[in-house]
Amino acid sequence: ADFPGNSVVSDFLQVCGLPLAGDFSPRVNVGLSLPAVQLLYIYRLRFPQAASEDKALLARLSELPGERFRMHPQLLEKILIERDDSYDWLEKRAGISPYDDGVVDGVQVASEQDLLRVSVSTLQWLEDQTGGLILANEQPGPDEIAIALKALATTLQGQSKG
């Protein structure tokens, strides 16, 4: 969808009749693939507090190819709780519906288990990024994956400063 100034935030504030903060500078919304969301979810389980190196990690995860991330409609219903007309603006403005009952592209995440089930190709990508840090165990668990992601984030932040 096309938003004024290419910023959904600016558009939202304009629609609501709210002023734009003086120091606001719109950023590009990073779209993450399903594998990237899975890794980010695992990382946040182990490291829930935001850290300075997270920005570099997010930028690298945005490069991870894969299926588009989509929530299963039943999970979305649980999150949104009730169906009402308050989401009509989302369909009109962005051309998407939180209640898309039709066929959608990509894998639909229906549970936490779907987020924790990381593919071999995603683990291989992470191993390539970390120089082999992840696959000391053929079936790494969430803690091992999160620790490898933390090491990657720290390395990336160091590279950006140096």
Side-chain angles (χ1 to χ4, degrees), residues 44-66:
R44 282 287 172 235
L45 284 176
R46 181 76 154 75
F47 302 103
Q49 295 290 12
S52 59
E53 63 268 16
D54 292 353
K55 191 173 184 179
L57 178 62
L58 187 59
R60 183 61 58 96
L61 288 175
S62 72
E63 298 170 6
L64 176 56

Side-chain angles (χ1 to χ4, degrees), residues 16-35:
C16 293
L18 299 171
L20 199 59
D23 61 345
F24 174 76
S25 61
R27 295 181 301 173
V28 173
N29 185 18
V30 176
L32 297 176
S33 64
L34 174 59

